[in-house]
């Protein structure tokens, strides 16, 4: 896609293995292999130390500190944007109600108090729906389970009344009762119900106007009705430029009142945390819908296709990935497959051979070894003609670790991150949310998620991890890796001390070692191959290729060859503290920035403090309140003229010439369809006794013939 990632920082380099070869006394692999007479069966347990490295230069730390502070300002900017959106919705609501208010101007049965709510005699009036909307959520409606709107912070009605009571000085001074709020919010929800897509479109256009890095696309169904949409903000697009190697994709349901499928694209940052790269709403889960989403993903993201994508076993999704991402390795979620063994296999076969299936799947590093163990277990169980097992064996290259560990996946073998992310976001959203309600609450949840990343960045920038082992390599990686990744590396380094090397073969091109370790009363052996010409070591466990961290077996070889510092080629940039220090450009060569106007935060903070001081001074007297109210009303008129005057037709405005789509109709996705019920499930629903010992129906464990047979 023409993406270019340029580093802004100079990273101090470290000796590679090839450079170390130039110094005889500093751990050269080549010289050690040439000068030492190795014998089969010989074991090594050597380690020498070297003075501790200097670490980062001071200027590198200062540049990284500035980058972290910039990310923090972007996070605050996103939170402040929520307040701006609430104001926009309130303006739209007042515009919709203006005609209704004019119809009731001559009604004399309702008198308003100074707070804008009906007096005591008119609380139960039928015209309460025309009163100004007062809400602790800045006037943003959100449908709850009772049809009543709630705030984006999930504040129920009774708590809002308590807040108003404290603010006004007592229940008798509020000027309304709880029923008035229910009636008013029901009326507001009804008036905004057919303007859902309009609100979402204006929100996306406003975001794009503020930052050109915001990307979105909305499409209809051919009848001027909303069908699907895709969006990705500048922060997510920039993150994809650094973490383009792996993506997790899964759909979820019950997130909105239209039953549209919510489809987020997720990634993993340098702290090992889940991040949101892009989102979409789809009216169906067909191949055509997924292809459309993936094509929009490629257009939006700076970096083209991901190297690896992890999904569940969905046929439409698999076809769409092969069409839109032809060069991407598609990995199936291993959890979804292994969880079906108990359902697909006969009960007796599952109870007896499941452990052996597990060992064949997880405890093999070699493809031939897996094939041999799988065939042995299938033959012993008498399942050679089992259709489901045969189909899973045909798909082994997409889910079996022995076949998939050669592709980088940040250590993920399932779509568990997607499931966890869905559970996190569903704490903020509801199946009765409108699209605009969902966007508001989703942005709030996303800001909380990104705050965790900022906290981790702050810790890495200003704190140094404590090393359990006083080794030069361990201290080196503590300055380079993020805290989470360093802890994983340190565990590998500690475990490498329990590994023993045994020379297997050696020739002019390569040296092969057997690295053994004893774990859980079993001895496991990995094969490490060192190629002399390329100065490269690889292990049969494929941990570096799969996780991006050097495994304990290669670290044992480093210890044997007295390699005290990690070669630069063995340090993956995506796990460094400085992984996000660089420029990310889109397909047109334009830089993608997190925040278009960083000075906006300073301006807002300054004006907020000034306004707060003015309000506090005005509240000291009635005359002060009147003066301030008159001044604010005059100022509001001037600002409205300034806003609507020269920029009436700009993107993001509410011009009457803008054509909006109709709200979507409620759909039924295939993910919510009733699943196929097997004979075992039907029997249990009918109340038929099911024996837990033999698996047969018609008796329980106490009457099982297998146990009562003498």
């Amino acid at each position: 896609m023409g993406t270019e990632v340029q580093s802004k920082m100079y990273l101090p380099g470290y000796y590679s293995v090839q450079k170390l070869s130039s110094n005889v006394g500093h751990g050269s692999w080549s010289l050690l292999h040439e000068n030492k007479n190795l014998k089969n069966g010989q074991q090594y347990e050597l380690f020498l130390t070297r003075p501790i490295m200097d670490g980062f230069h001071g200027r590198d730390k200062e540049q990284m500190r500035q980058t972290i502070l910039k990310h923090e300002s972007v996070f605050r900017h996103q939170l402040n944007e929520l307040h701006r959106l609430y104001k926009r919705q309130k303006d739209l609501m007042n515009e919709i109600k203006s005609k209704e208010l004019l119809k009731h101007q001559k009604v004399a049965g309702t008198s308003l108090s100074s707070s804008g709510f009906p007096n005591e005699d008119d609380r139960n009036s039928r015209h309460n729906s025309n009163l100004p909307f007062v809400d602790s959520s800045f006037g943003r409606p959100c449908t709850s389970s009772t049809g009543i709107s709630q705030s984006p912070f999930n504040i129920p009605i009774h708590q809002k009344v308590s807040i108003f009571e404290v603010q006004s000085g007592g229940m008798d001074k509020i000027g309304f009762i709880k029923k008035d709020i229910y009636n008013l919010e029901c009326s507001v929800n009804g008036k905004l119900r057919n303007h859902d897509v309009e609100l979402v479109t204006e929100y996306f256009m406003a975001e794009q106007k503020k930052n050109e890095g915001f990307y979105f696309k909305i499409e209809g169904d051919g009848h001027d009705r909303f069908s699907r949409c895709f969006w990705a903000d500048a922060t997510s697009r920039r993150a994809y430029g650094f973490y383009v190697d792996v993506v997790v994709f899964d759909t979820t349901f019950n997130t909105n009142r239209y039953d549209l499928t919510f489809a987020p694209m997720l990634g993993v940052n340098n702290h090992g945390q889940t991040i949101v790269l892009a989102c979409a709403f789809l009216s169906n889960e067909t191949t055509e819908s997924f292809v459309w989403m993936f094509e929009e993903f490629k257009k939006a993201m700076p970096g083209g296709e991901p190297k690896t994508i992890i999904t569940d076993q969905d046929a439409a999704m698999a076809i769409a990935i092969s069409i839109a991402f032809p060069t991407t390795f598609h990995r199936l979620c291993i959890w979804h497959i292994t969880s079906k063994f108990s359902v697909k296999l006969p009960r007796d076969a599952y109870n007896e051979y499941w452990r052996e299936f597990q060992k064949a799947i997880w405890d093999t590093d070699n493809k031939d070894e897996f094939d041999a163990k799988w065939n042995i277990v299938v033959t012993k169980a008498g399942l050679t003609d089992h259709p489901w097992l045969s189909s899973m064996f045909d798909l082994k290259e997409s889910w079996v670790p022995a076949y998939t560990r050669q592709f980088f996946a940040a250590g993920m073998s399932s779509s568990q991150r997607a499931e966890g992310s869905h559970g996190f976001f569903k704490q903020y959203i509801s199946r009765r949310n409108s699209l605009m309600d969902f966007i508001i609450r989703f942005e709030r949840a996303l800001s909380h998620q990104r705050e965790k990343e900022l906290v981790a960045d702050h810790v890495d920038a200003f704190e140094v991890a404590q090393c359990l082992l006083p080794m030069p390599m361990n201290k080196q990686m503590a300055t380079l890796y993020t805290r989470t990744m360093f802890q994983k590396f340190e565990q590998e380094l500690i475990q490498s001390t329990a590994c023993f090397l045994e020379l297997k073969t050696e020739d002019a091109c390569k040296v092969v070692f057997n690295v053994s370790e004893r774990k859980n009363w079993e001895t496991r052996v990995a094969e490490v191959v060192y190629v002399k010409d390329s100065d490269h070591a690889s292990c049969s466990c494929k941990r570096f290729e799969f996780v991006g961290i050097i495994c304990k077996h290669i670290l044992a070889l480093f210890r044997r060859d007295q390699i005290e510092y990690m070669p630069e080629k063995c340090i993956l940039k995506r796990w460094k503290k400085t992984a996000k220090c660089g420029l990310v450009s889109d397909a047109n060569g334009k830089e993608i920035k997190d925040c278009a106007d960083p000075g906006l935060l300073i301006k807002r903070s300054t004006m907020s403090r000034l306004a707060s001081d003015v309000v506090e001074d005005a509240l000291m007297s009635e005359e002060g309140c009147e003066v301030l109210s008159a001044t604010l009303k005059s100022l509001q008129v001037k600002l409205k003229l300034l806003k609507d005057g020269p920029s009436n037709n700009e993107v993001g405005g509410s011009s009457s010439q803008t054509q909006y789509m109709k709200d979507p109709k409620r759909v039924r996705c295939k993910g919510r369809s009733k699943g196929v019920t097997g004979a075992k499930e039907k029997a249990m629903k009918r109340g038929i006794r099911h024996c837990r010992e033999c698996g047969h129906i018609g008796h329980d464990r106490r009457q099982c013939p297998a146990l009562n047979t003498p």
Side-chain angles (χ1 to χ4, degrees):
M1 296 292 292
T3 301
E4 181 180 0
V5 179
Q6 302 174 350
S7 177
K8 271 186 175 179
M9 296 180 56
Y10 167 76
L11 299 179
Y14 301 98
Y15 294 108
S16 65
V17 179
Q18 193 68 29
K19 292 179 181 179
L20 291 174
S21 301
S22 60
N23 195 338
V24 177
H26 292 119
S28 168
W29 280 355
S30 302
L31 292 176
L32 284 171
H33 289 310
E34 292 176 0
N35 296 333
K36 292 184 179 179
N37 296 323
L38 304 177
K39 298 181 180 180
N40 293 337
Q42 185 176 359
Q43 295 182 347
Y44 302 92
E45 188 64 33
L46 302 175
F47 187 82
L48 297 179
T49 61
R50 178 180 295 183
I52 302 173
M53 61 171 295
D54 295 333
F56 281 131
H57 296 297
R59 57 191 178 91
D60 296 323
K61 290 186 177 180
E62 181 61 26
Q63 292 182 9
M64 184 170 63
R65 185 179 293 107
Q66 294 298 327
T67 302
I68 300 303
L69 295 177
K70 179 181 177 182
H71 289 322
E72 291 179 351
S73 66
V74 172
F75 168 70
R76 297 190 187 97
H77 170 71
Q78 293 171 345
L79 289 180
N80 291 331
E81 285 306 302
L82 293 178
H83 297 278
R84 184 201 63 79
L85 184 59
Y86 300 153
K87 180 63 170 60
R88 173 71 191 105
Q89 286 188 292
K90 186 175 181 179
D91 294 340
L92 180 61
M93 179 191 64
N94 292 333
E95 181 180 348
I96 295 172
K97 293 174 57 180
S98 60
K99 295 183 179 180
E100 294 291 332
L101 290 172
L102 292 175
K103 295 180 180 179
H104 299 280
Q105 282 182 347
K106 297 182 179 180
V107 178
T110 302
S111 58
L112 299 181
S113 64
S114 59
S115 63
F117 284 86
N119 291 327
E120 182 72 22
D121 297 335
D122 301 311
R123 286 179 176 175
N124 298 322
S125 172
R126 53 182 290 184
H127 305 297
N128 283 351
S129 60
N130 300 317
L131 300 178
F133 182 61
V134 178
D135 188 9
S136 61
S137 65
F138 305 95
R140 190 196 63 78
C142 172
T143 304
S144 67
S145 58
T146 60
I148 308 301
S149 65
Q150 292 184 353
S151 70
F153 308 105
N154 299 325
I155 301 178
I157 298 296
H158 70 277
Q159 291 185 7
K160 293 180 184 180
V161 175
S162 300
I163 294 174
F164 290 138
E165 177 186 3
V166 174
Q167 291 178 345
S168 60
M171 287 292 296
D172 57 333
K173 298 180 181 179
I174 296 179
F176 62 92
I177 61 176
K178 187 186 301 184
K179 183 178 179 181
D180 295 329
I181 302 181
Y182 278 100
N183 295 338
L184 184 58
E185 294 188 359
C186 285
S187 176
V188 171
N189 286 336
K191 290 182 173 63
L192 292 178
R193 186 172 296 274
N194 295 326
H195 299 271
D196 200 6
V197 176
E198 178 181 352
L199 285 171
V200 173
T201 305
E202 289 197 359
Y203 169 74
F204 285 162
M205 294 172 66
E207 290 296 312
Q208 193 176 66
K209 181 181 178 181
K210 291 182 300 182
N211 191 336
E212 295 181 355
F214 187 90
Y215 181 92
F216 77 96
K217 183 67 174 295
I218 300 178
E219 283 194 359
D221 57 358
H223 300 283
D224 198 24
R225 188 176 294 277
F226 177 92
S227 176
R228 56 197 179 190
C229 71
F230 173 92
W231 76 94
D233 61 9
T235 302
S236 297
R237 296 180 66 196
R238 189 172 184 272
Y240 183 78
F242 301 116
Y243 313 119
V244 68
D245 40 26
V246 60
V247 169
V248 182
F249 179 63
D250 192 17
T251 58
T252 186
F253 313 94
N254 297 332
T255 61
N256 56 89
R257 66 171 64 145
Y258 310 104
D259 287 337
L260 295 174
T261 302
F262 178 58
M265 301 281 281
L266 307 175
V268 182
N269 62 12
N270 56 339
H271 303 286
Q273 300 171 335
T274 304
I275 57 176
V276 177
L277 300 176
C279 301
F281 275 124
L282 305 175
S283 58
N284 54 64
E285 292 184 272
T286 61
T287 300
E288 188 271 336
S289 295
F290 287 132
V291 170
W292 175 85
M293 178 182 175
F294 295 151
E295 291 295 337
E296 293 299 325
F297 183 82
K298 290 195 298 184
K299 293 178 184 178
M301 293 303 166
E305 304 175 11
K307 297 180 181 178
T308 302
I309 185 171
I310 304 176
T311 69
D312 57 8
Q313 197 176 358
D314 185 88
M317 200 179 295
I319 297 175
I321 291 175
S322 63
I323 296 174
F325 301 146
T327 62
T328 300
F329 173 68
H330 181 200
R331 177 165 187 162
L332 299 178
C333 175
I334 193 172
W335 180 85
H336 283 90
I337 294 177
T338 55
S339 62
K340 295 179 181 178
F341 273 75
S342 60
V343 179
K344 299 293 184 179
L345 300 186
R347 187 178 182 88
D348 294 339
Y350 173 78
N351 292 335
E352 184 174 357
Y353 296 102
W354 169 236
R355 295 292 183 185
E356 298 187 35
F357 275 112
Q358 281 185 311
K359 291 183 178 180
I361 294 172
W362 293 106
D363 296 344
T364 55
D365 299 330
N366 185 274
K367 299 178 182 179
D368 296 333
E369 182 183 1
F370 167 78
D371 293 345
K373 288 186 177 181
W374 179 276
N375 292 328
I376 291 174
V377 176
V378 171
T379 303
K380 288 171 57 178
L383 301 173
T384 54
D385 297 329
H386 195 279
W388 184 80
L389 283 179
S390 300
S391 64
M392 291 300 99
F393 186 77
D394 295 337
L395 295 174
K396 58 185 178 182
E397 296 182 356
S398 299
W399 66 277
V400 176
Y403 285 86
T404 59
R405 290 180 69 87
Q406 58 182 319
F407 299 98
F408 180 81
M412 297 181 293
S413 58
S414 68
S415 58
Q416 182 180 3
R417 284 184 181 270
E419 301 292 342
S421 179
H422 296 164
F424 170 77
F425 286 116
K426 285 188 176 181
Q427 299 175 12
Y428 298 82
I429 58 181
S430 167
R431 62 178 300 179
R432 293 176 176 82
N433 289 144
S434 65
L435 295 182
M436 194 65 247
D437 293 334
F438 175 89
I439 295 296
I440 293 297
R441 298 196 178 192
F442 177 79
E443 289 294 331
R444 178 170 173 255
L446 187 61
S447 65
H448 289 180
Q449 185 186 76
R450 288 174 176 172
E451 182 187 15
K452 298 178 181 178
E453 182 178 1
L454 290 175
V455 171
D457 288 340
H458 182 85
V459 170
D460 288 334
F462 298 98
E463 299 180 13
V464 179
Q466 297 295 325
C467 299
L468 299 179
L469 296 179
M471 298 180 179
M473 183 180 293
N474 200 31
K475 295 181 179 180
Q476 171 197 3
M477 303 315 296
T479 62
L480 291 178
Y481 277 160
T482 60
R483 178 70 62 89
T484 304
M485 293 302 113
F486 168 70
Q487 292 174 352
K488 293 184 178 181
F489 167 80
E490 191 174 43
Q491 289 299 318
E492 292 292 322
L493 188 61
I494 294 174
Q495 294 177 13
S496 69
T497 59
C499 296
F500 299 92
L501 278 77
E502 180 181 357
L503 179 64
K504 185 177 181 181
T505 60
E506 181 179 7
D507 54 30
C509 298
K510 63 181 180 179
V511 184
V512 181
F513 294 91
N514 283 337
V515 184
S516 60
E517 65 166 333
R518 189 168 182 82
K519 186 176 181 180
N520 297 330
W521 304 101
E522 294 182 359
T523 301
R524 299 195 60 180
V525 180
E527 185 178 271
V528 177
V529 179
Y530 166 66
V531 181
K532 298 180 180 179
D533 294 337
S534 61
D535 194 27
H536 176 72
S538 61
C539 182
S540 60
C541 72
K542 302 293 183 181
R543 180 170 178 80
F544 181 70
E545 292 82 356
F546 178 59
V547 182
I549 296 178
I550 289 294
C551 66
K552 52 193 171 187
H553 311 111
I554 297 181
L555 289 175
L557 179 61
F558 284 179
R559 188 181 72 252
R560 176 259 174 198
D561 283 347
Q562 304 174 15
I563 306 298
E564 299 178 351
Y565 294 97
M566 181 68 70
E568 187 176 0
K569 66 172 68 176
C570 299
I571 303 174
L572 202 62
K573 181 182 178 181
R574 65 125 46 231
W575 297 134
K576 288 184 178 181
K577 298 178 181 179
T578 56
K580 294 179 289 187
C581 296
L583 300 178
V584 178
S585 304
D586 57 14
N588 299 323
K590 193 171 184 179
E591 182 184 358
I592 299 176
K593 300 180 180 180
D594 287 338
C595 182
D597 185 11
L600 181 63
L601 295 174
I602 301 177
K603 297 176 184 177
R604 183 183 182 89
S605 177
T606 303
M607 290 187 293
S608 297
R609 287 196 299 267
L610 178 60
S612 177
D613 294 340
V614 172
V615 170
E616 291 296 331
D617 294 339
L619 289 176
M620 301 301 296
S621 63
E622 290 294 335
E623 184 179 358
C625 293
E626 294 177 359
V627 172
L628 180 59
S629 298
T631 304
L632 290 178
K633 291 179 180 178
S634 176
L635 181 61
Q636 187 177 23
V637 173
K638 294 180 180 179
L639 291 177
K640 190 175 187 307
L641 293 175
L642 182 64
K643 174 184 176 182
D644 298 339
S647 59
N648 188 36
N649 295 326
E650 291 183 3
V651 177
S654 58
S655 174
S656 59
Q657 298 178 358
T658 305
Q659 297 294 329
Y660 297 101
M661 296 181 185
K662 300 177 183 178
D663 289 355
K665 293 183 178 180
R666 189 171 182 177
V667 298
R668 184 173 184 85
C669 300
K670 65 179 181 180
R672 295 189 60 202
S673 60
K674 185 178 296 185
V676 179
T677 306
K680 181 172 63 176
E681 290 80 2
K682 292 180 179 179
M684 295 179 67
K685 288 182 179 180
R686 290 196 301 265
I688 300 178
R689 291 180 296 179
H690 190 90
C691 181
R692 294 185 298 173
E693 185 66 30
C694 66
H696 292 85
I697 298 174
H699 63 274
D700 55 16
R701 190 174 185 273
R702 295 173 298 177
Q703 301 174 349
C704 181
L707 294 179
N708 297 328
T709 302

